[in-house]
Amino acid sequence: MKLHWQIAIALLAAMAVGGIVGDAPWFIKLADFIGTLFLNALRMLIVPLIVGAMIHAIISIGASNELGRIGWKTVLYFATTTLGAIVLGLVIINAVQPGIVDGQPAGARLGLDASADAVLEKVQGRDGRDFVGVVLRMVPPNLVQAAADNEMLALIFFSLLFGYFAARLPRELAEVQQRFWAGLYEVMIRITGWVMRFAPLGVFALVGKTVAQTGWSALHPLLVFFFAVLVALSIQAFIVLPLLVRLVGLDPLRHLKLSVPALLTAFSTSSSAATLPVTFGCAQRAGVSDRVSGFVLPLGATVNMNGTALYECAAALFIAQAYGLELSFISQFVVVTLALLTSVGVAGIPSASLVAIAVILSAVGLPMEGVGLILAVDRILDMCRTAVNVFGDLTGTVIIARLEGEIEAPASDVTR
Ligand code: ASP
């Protein structure tokens, strides 16, 4: 049986078993052990993979001015799709108004799930800092420390510099560098393939534990918000991004099929960073060259988060509605801008956007405890938005590869 089918079955089984077993300590313990083992195995690949893929890509792009061209396309794609996703969240939440129940702000009915302190403690260290902080983090005072702290932007920046200068070495030395980094990248991809053989087990454990602990009942009071976000995320994933794929003359359905392993892994791990090794495999199977995927994917997993940006905007508006606050046009504009900027700084780890949401809330004058309102649904929506984040990265990679003339469209797929 194909791996993605095995993972899909594991996912369904986990939802059923997690729901039936409930939070029985033996199940939580066992699921926690297996899930953590799988997650660790993926995480251990992140640093060598980002550095290896990025340096390998930059050296292959070489000393030509191709880097600038691919770079601009990447930035343009990231910015427009993220902005589009935010506007989608804005429109849907304004239309559905999930924070208003029977004409009244829903805040009192929902009750705050947590005090400000508890919320802040939960979200501590999730990296939603301001834009200046993001730029500062890009240049690490200590590279080893940055790697240990999973500071992706710092690793990307260093790898860019390393690749740029390695490509400009005298030919003999440059060739040695090129072969070394190509080999390292290939080894990482192979280890990923091996780790992924255990994915059905890992996915079962991770999702089973979440369902057992959160339960579906947590959704009830927030059902409208939950579905509004789900609809917005689905429009982004199943209409907007596929349209872009179509626009460059490729088959969106085939693209979706090839992306399934990465989407399922993102859904199960809630972490675009941990999914990165799998994302690389999908890009490779889609026919994207190492030089494009090595450049676009690590950047994408770190700064391009369609789902997260959409969610941040939706959550901030929902909380405002629940508090009975009518946001002015200017305030909505601030929400959109901050969602765009903070989604760049949010780390690709579970629940990372909670801090960013707190930042947005305080910017428009709402109490930070508002984050407590959405905690109950955050875990499950995290799974969904992370899948959209990863799909946005993969779609961008495929589009840029196509624009670079790398992927041949099947004859029947060429748009005329
Ligand atoms: N979990 C998300 C990711 O890794 C980030 C977030 O929105 O919390 O992409």
Side-chain angles (χ1 to χ4, degrees):
M1 198 192 294
K2 285 236 174 85
L3 185 66
H4 57 260
W5 284 116
Q6 291 179 29
I7 299 179
I9 292 172
L11 201 70
L12 293 178
M15 289 182 183
V17 174
I20 295 167
V21 177
D23 53 359
W26 66 268
F27 180 71
I28 304 275
K29 256 194 200 150
L30 186 69
D32 191 42
F33 171 69
I34 299 175
T36 309
L37 206 60
F38 176 63
L39 213 54
N40 282 356
L42 283 176
R43 284 198 195 126
M44 84 181 169
L45 303 174
I46 297 176
V47 171
L49 188 65
I50 287 198
V51 175
M54 198 92 192
I55 294 179
H56 170 48
I58 306 295
I59 297 181
S60 322
I61 291 173
S64 61
N65 51 11
E66 252 181 299
L67 183 59
R69 200 179 63 217
I70 298 181
W72 272 115
K73 284 179 192 165
T74 309
V75 171
L76 196 69
Y77 170 84
F78 286 173
T80 47
T81 52
T82 307
L83 199 63
I86 297 172
V87 172
L88 199 61
L90 185 88
V91 170
I92 297 227
I93 296 293
N94 272 327
V96 178
Q97 306 254 2
I100 315 270
V101 179
D102 299 334
Q104 293 292 324
R109 282 183 190 226
L110 290 168
L112 290 181
D113 270 18
S115 69
D117 285 351
V119 172
L120 288 179
E121 196 176 313
K122 193 173 160 71
V123 299
Q124 226 171 32
R126 298 289 194 191
D127 279 352
R129 283 165 269 169
D130 58 308
F131 200 65
V132 177
V134 171
V135 177
L136 275 178
R137 264 157 53 213
M138 270 174 63
V139 187
N142 180 339
L143 190 65
V144 180
Q145 181 78 41
D149 293 343
N150 268 326
E151 288 283 8
M152 306 268 219
L153 272 183
L155 291 182
I156 289 175
F157 179 68
F158 178 80
S159 308
L160 265 173
L161 280 184
F162 190 101
Y164 182 85
F165 286 103
R168 282 158 183 76
L169 285 174
R171 212 169 107 211
E172 208 177 305
L173 289 177
E175 272 172 15
V176 176
Q177 287 292 327
Q178 178 153 24
R179 288 220 297 276
F180 170 77
W181 292 103
L184 185 108
Y185 172 71
E186 194 51 41
V187 172
M188 298 322 296
I189 290 288
R190 287 179 190 212
I191 300 182
T192 305
W194 178 76
V195 170
M196 280 308 282
R197 286 209 223 147
F198 301 96
L201 208 62
V203 165
F204 177 80
L206 288 171
V207 178
K209 184 178 154 227
T210 306
V211 174
Q213 282 181 329
T214 318
W216 299 111
S217 57
L219 290 183
H220 283 164
L222 294 159
L223 226 52
V224 182
F225 171 67
F226 180 80
F227 279 111
V229 173
L230 217 56
V231 167
L233 287 175
S234 307
I235 295 179
Q236 179 75 7
F238 299 121
I239 298 179
V240 178
L241 296 176
L243 269 179
L244 296 179
V245 173
R246 185 83 235 174
L247 215 62
V248 295
L250 295 174
D251 179 0
L253 215 62
R254 182 170 179 272
H255 172 59
L256 188 65
K257 264 194 203 153
L258 285 170
S259 309
V260 166
L263 299 186
L264 289 177
T265 311
F267 185 81
S268 318
T269 58
S270 293
S271 165
S272 3
T275 309
L276 195 56
V278 187
T279 321
F280 268 107
C282 292
Q284 207 172 44
R285 273 190 298 282
V288 179
S289 73
D290 298 350
R291 57 182 203 131
V292 169
S293 65
F295 179 74
V296 184
L297 284 181
L299 259 185
T302 313
V303 304
N304 180 47
M305 299 202 174
N306 288 187
T308 292
L310 185 160
Y311 178 71
E312 284 178 19
C313 175
L317 293 186
F318 167 70
I319 293 166
Q321 288 171 3
Y323 274 109
L325 189 89
E326 189 78 44
L327 286 186
S328 64
F329 179 76
I330 300 286
S331 292
Q332 301 219 8
F333 181 75
V334 170
V335 171
V336 170
T337 313
L338 282 181
L340 184 67
L341 294 181
T342 54
S343 75
V344 172
V346 162
I349 55 174
S351 296
S353 26
L354 289 181
V355 170
I357 295 170
V359 170
I360 298 177
L361 290 182
S362 56
V364 292
L366 281 164
M368 285 207 198
E369 302 89 308
V371 176
L373 283 178
I374 52 167
L375 281 186
V377 282
D378 184 70
R379 189 67 186 85
I380 294 173
L381 285 177
D382 196 5
M383 300 162 100
C384 306
R385 66 179 184 260
T386 307
V388 176
N389 288 344
V390 168
F391 194 46
D393 300 339
L394 256 177
T395 305
T397 312
V398 164
I399 288 177
I400 289 161
R402 170 78 175 143
L403 295 178
E404 289 292 304
E406 282 180 4
I407 305 177
E408 283 304 314
S412 59
D413 282 333
V414 180
T415 33
R416 272 165 259 265

